[in-house]
Amino acid sequence: MTSAQVDTSEKDSGASGSPAGSEAPEEGYERGLGSRQVQMIAIGGAIGVGLFLGAGANIAKAGPSLILMYALAGGIIFFIMRALGELLLYRPVSGSFAEYSREFLGPFFGYFTGWTYWLMWVVTGMAELTAAAIYVHYWFPAIPQWVTALVFLVVLFGVNLISVKVFGELEFWFSMVKVTALIGMIVIGLGVLTFGFSSAGDTASVANLYQFDGFFPKGVGSSLMTLQGVMFAYLAVELVGVTAGESENPEKTLPKAINTLPWRIALFYVGALTVILCVVKWTEFAPGVSPFVAAFAKIGIPAGAGIVNFVVLTAALSSCNSGMYSTGRMLRNLADSGEAPAVFRKLSASKTPALGVTVSVLFMGIGVVLNYVVPEKAFGYVTSVATAAGIWTWLMILISHVLYRRAVDAGRLPASSFPAPGGAVCSWIAIAFLLFVTCLIAYDADSRICLYVMAGWAAALGVGWLVLKNRSPEVTERRERAPEKVS
């Protein structure tokens, strides 16, 4: 551990009132997340509602070329995660994105990033609640979407208040269901392709990837326009950074979780979509319907579609569960920095930021209202806002990484034990890609509204910063970290 980490530990311990020598001296949190839980949180973060539900609309727009879009975006996500990994092993702290923005770009960027990441998870939670309600509607069409969304919101809220161990264990099993089911889907799909069994066996073929108007049936431009939805599917992979303050051994668990990302993307996104689109031609998929549910209905396995529907329901609940976890931690990080009300610094008896989770859940409740007012549009609205907020977070990770590498090269900071391959070059490539996706969002009339929302959000945060600067000017001033001895 570097001296920077020791300094941070002492600071955070004092902030949270956790005495020296307590179970979690760094920040007052309980070190309750073991290796298997961190691994599954990382895997689960790469398998969410963006794949299980959002892929249906994207297949309709791009056809088989969506596979290439997921592979392209997946490569960029790996660049982002390796950049984050290098920063995490330089200084592992909970609320990492805001902390690194604060250190390398200044207090305002830490403040803006922390609150924007909080917004991302709040609206992502809304999206997951909406998706979960849609899945339950498959079995019980008479139950209104908003009722189901409210029930799930309350149940997951209770789980997050108990302890981080309960959260980690629930997330472990949520992720285990998703992983096992996806592997099962791939194996069954390969069986249909190879042996031709089931009602889909006669038409299942690799030729389905190109014989219906080609690999790019709607044109390259239409395929590129799906990148905004594809990027939403990858939101939450950075969640392992938030777990740094509650992982038992972040120096070992975090690199392992990040380095497994390429095969997770290759298997669960590229692999699963390739098999699905070989088994069922792309023209049979439609927006608002999970392509996995539709594929298994086509295959005709008894209760298969219902089983897959249960799996995608767990995926939605998993992501919403993660959202509640991360929002509470981010609010506490902001409070520790004086950028949110000090009351959010308090931990409950179970060492969870209960008040931060509670406030976040109340805002997620807006998703329940959207499901009541505009159930058919709720998912699209919130996913576009979440994507825009996620892009900002990723940009801050990448820019912080570029500045960190400059400081290391200049001898001002110690090198991380987990350097990103390619150094800052890969981060620059990822920055250019994210700016390109932002331009695509601005070009698309349906998703452009999220930029208006983000502009309003930026204005609100700007006003909040001015108020903070007036009341607590010391909070808004850059605080240089103590110089370190670099060997």
Side-chain angles (χ1 to χ4, degrees):
M1 180 176 286
T2 66
S3 60
Q5 293 162 15
V6 174
D7 292 344
T8 304
S9 302
E10 292 171 354
K11 178 194 76 170
D12 289 334
S13 174
S16 62
S18 179
S22 66
E23 187 176 355
E26 277 199 13
E27 298 173 308
Y29 290 126
E30 178 183 8
R31 292 283 184 186
L33 295 178
S35 177
R36 68 180 179 89
Q37 293 169 326
V38 172
Q39 292 296 319
M40 272 300 175
I41 288 172
I43 292 173
I47 308 171
V49 71
L51 172 64
F52 283 124
L53 181 61
N58 288 325
I59 289 173
K61 292 178 182 177
S65 64
L66 183 65
I67 298 168
L68 181 60
M69 297 301 106
Y70 272 105
L72 174 63
I76 297 299
I77 290 296
F78 181 61
F79 291 165
I80 295 171
M81 289 304 295
R82 283 305 303 259
L84 175 59
E86 183 166 357
L87 291 169
L88 285 171
L89 270 295
Y90 148 68
R91 191 163 69 93
V93 288
S94 185
S96 56
F97 325 116
E99 275 297 305
Y100 302 135
S101 299
R102 192 174 290 116
E103 177 178 352
F104 295 106
L105 288 104
F108 175 76
F109 287 94
Y111 158 85
F112 196 100
T113 300
W115 278 109
T116 301
Y117 192 68
W118 175 84
L119 173 71
M120 187 200 87
W121 269 113
V122 165
V123 294
T124 298
M126 294 180 194
E128 308 299 353
L129 288 171
T130 300
I134 291 173
Y135 297 144
V136 171
H137 191 74
Y138 175 86
W139 292 305
F140 307 104
I143 300 179
Q145 279 185 205
W146 71 269
V147 173
T148 309
L150 180 61
V151 170
F152 286 139
L153 182 70
V154 172
V155 171
L156 293 178
F157 172 54
V159 167
N160 271 269
L161 291 185
I162 299 173
S163 74
V164 70
K165 287 184 177 180
V166 174
F167 158 79
E169 199 61 28
L170 183 63
E171 197 59 29
F172 174 85
W173 290 108
F174 272 153
S175 295
M176 182 66 77
V177 169
K178 292 187 288 186
V179 170
T180 304
L182 264 181
I183 293 175
M185 291 177 200
I186 293 172
V187 171
I188 292 172
L190 290 174
V192 173
L193 282 170
T194 305
F195 303 107
F197 63 82
S198 87
S199 57
D202 294 337
T203 56
S205 171
V206 175
N208 285 337
L209 296 178
Y210 55 82
Q211 68 180 5
F212 296 97
D213 297 323
F215 189 69
F216 292 91
K218 300 291 185 71
V220 175
S222 182
S223 298
L224 290 174
M225 290 303 295
T226 64
L227 282 174
Q228 51 190 302
V230 169
M231 295 308 289
F232 172 76
Y234 286 120
L235 291 183
V237 294
E238 75 291 325
L239 185 63
V240 291
V242 183
T243 68
E246 291 167 277
S247 301
E248 289 178 351
N249 192 347
E251 288 80 6
K252 291 184 178 180
T253 57
L254 295 180
K256 186 177 180 181
I258 291 171
N259 279 335
T260 56
L261 185 65
W263 73 258
R264 298 201 309 265
I265 291 172
L267 178 65
F268 299 131
Y269 279 91
V270 178
L273 280 176
T274 299
V275 171
I276 289 292
L277 290 171
C278 286
V279 172
V280 182
K281 59 184 180 182
W282 72 270
T283 54
E284 296 189 21
F285 295 108
V289 178
S290 169
F292 296 90
V293 174
F296 271 70
K298 176 72 174 179
I299 291 172
I301 296 176
I307 293 172
V308 176
N309 197 65
F310 169 75
V311 172
V312 296
L313 173 61
T314 64
L317 296 179
S318 168
S319 187
C320 187
N321 187 41
S322 296
M324 292 182 186
Y325 169 86
S326 58
T327 50
R329 274 71 184 170
M330 192 56 69
L331 282 180
R332 184 168 186 250
N333 176 266
L334 288 163
D336 276 341
S337 301
E339 297 162 356
V343 68
F344 288 125
R345 290 165 55 181
K346 296 181 179 178
L347 293 177
S348 67
S350 58
K351 296 185 179 180
T352 61
L355 182 60
V357 173
T358 302
V359 171
S360 301
V361 166
L362 290 175
F363 277 93
M364 286 182 190
I366 296 174
V368 176
V369 177
L370 286 175
N371 275 283
Y372 178 77
V373 178
V374 283
E376 71 286 349
K377 295 182 178 180
F379 185 77
Y381 284 160
V382 295
T383 55
S384 62
V385 174
T387 302
I391 287 175
W392 172 270
T393 300
W394 291 334
L395 283 171
M396 291 300 100
I397 292 172
L398 293 166
I399 295 172
S400 296
H401 176 249
V402 169
L403 295 176
Y404 166 71
R405 290 301 293 254
R406 287 182 183 175
V408 170
D409 292 342
R412 296 193 303 272
L413 290 175
S416 171
S417 61
F418 188 48
V425 174
C426 291
S427 288
W428 279 117
I429 293 173
I431 289 170
F433 180 85
L434 292 178
L435 294 177
F436 173 67
V437 173
T438 303
C439 291
L440 293 178
I441 292 174
Y443 180 78
D444 184 9
D446 291 335
S447 59
R448 193 182 302 148
I449 186 173
C450 75
L451 298 182
Y452 301 141
V453 172
M454 290 304 296
W457 175 252
L461 287 182
V463 171
W465 183 254
L466 292 175
V467 172
L468 186 63
K469 193 171 185 177
N470 183 56
R471 292 183 177 179
S472 306
E474 71 283 355
V475 172
T476 62
E477 296 173 356
R478 180 184 287 270
R479 294 181 292 278
E480 297 295 338
R481 295 177 56 76
E484 304 186 29
K485 182 179 179 181
V486 180
S487 57

